[in-house]
Amino acid sequence: AQSVTQLGSHVSVSEGALVLLRCNYSSSVPPYLFWYVQYPNQGLQLLLKYTSAATLVKGINGFEAEFKKSETSFHLTKPSAHMSDAAEYFCAVSRSSGGYQKVTFGIGTKLQVIP
Amino acid sequence: DAGITQSPRYKITETGRQVTLMCHQTWSHSYMFWYRQDLGHGLRLIYYSAAADITDKGEVPDGYVVSRSKTENFPLTLESATRSQTSVYFCASSDPGLAGGLSHEQYFGPGTRLTVT
C-alpha cells in the first residue's frame, strides 16, 4: 500500500521567510514522489519530482525537496517566500501497478504568504 | 492550442439529471485520468484509462461512467447526478513512455466545477 501524509492543511509565512511544507510517505517499494502546485481556479502543475537520481531535487520557482528514506519524508522548502507562492501544494506518491500508474495524493497544504 | 482542456468549466445541474464532462488532450498520451477534488480529501481517482478502449475503476467510481473511443478524448458521465457529486473534477494525462519510462508525471486540465442542486 502507498500513501502520503501532509502535515498542516494551512501554513502561513511572512514574505521573505523560509517555506517548509511537510510530506511523509509510506510505500512498500521505492517510490516516485512529486510535489504539485495549484493556483486558484487552475489545475495542478508539477513543481518537482523525485525519481531516485538524486536525493535533493530542485524544482521551479526556487523550490526544492529532499528525499530522506530513513525518515520516509519528502519535505518541500523555499528559502524566501514570495507573495506569488500563495497556492495549494500537493504531495503525491506514484508507482507502477500492473502497467498502470497508481498515484496517491495528499490532502494538500494551503500556503498563505503575509506581506 | 496544445495541452489538455476540459469543458464546460462550470456546470450547474439538478439531481437526477445526466451530465457529461469532456476532456481532450493533444499530446497523444496513452494514460488519462479523472479525479474529483473535495475539501479535506485532496484528489481522489474516479476512473483511469491506459489506452483507447481500456478503462478501469479508481478509488471512487460509483455513479460515474467513462468511455475512451479515441486516444485524445476521455469523457466522464454522471448517469444520475446526486448532491454528493458536487465537486471540482480534474482530468489528467500522462505517458510513461516519455523520459525512458521514469517520468510518471501527470498533466492536469483546468478543472470543471460541478454543482448539483
Side-chain angles (χ1 to χ4, degrees), chain A residues 32 34 36 38 41-46 49 51 88 90 94-97 99-108 110, chain B residues 9-10 31 33 35 37 40-43 45 48 50 90 94 96 99 101-111 113:
Chain A
Y32 298 125
F34 303 82
Y36 286 87
Q38 183 182 30
N41 297 315
Q42 295 185 27
L44 280 69
Q45 56 184 277
L46 184 70
K49 60 184 176 184
T51 57
E88 191 158 18
F90 292 89
S94 166
R95 66 179 179 92
S96 291
S97 176
Y100 150 60
Q101 177 198 15
K102 181 173 174 60
V103 178
T104 302
F105 288 86
I107 64 170
K110 191 163 286 188
Chain B
R9 292 293 314 277
Y10 303 90
Y31 289 116
F33 309 84
Y35 294 92
Q37 183 179 28
H41 290 278
L43 275 79
L45 182 67
Y48 69 95
F90 288 99
S94 72
L102 296 179
S103 174
H104 296 271
E105 164 185 348
Q106 294 190 358
Y107 297 84
F108 285 80
R113 185 175 295 274

Side-chain angles (χ1 to χ4, degrees), chain A residues 60-75:
Chain A
I60 61 172
N61 301 335
F63 283 93
E64 62 182 37
E66 186 172 8
F67 173 72
K68 292 187 176 180
K69 186 177 179 180
S70 61
E71 298 178 7
T72 61
S73 69
F74 191 56
H75 301 331

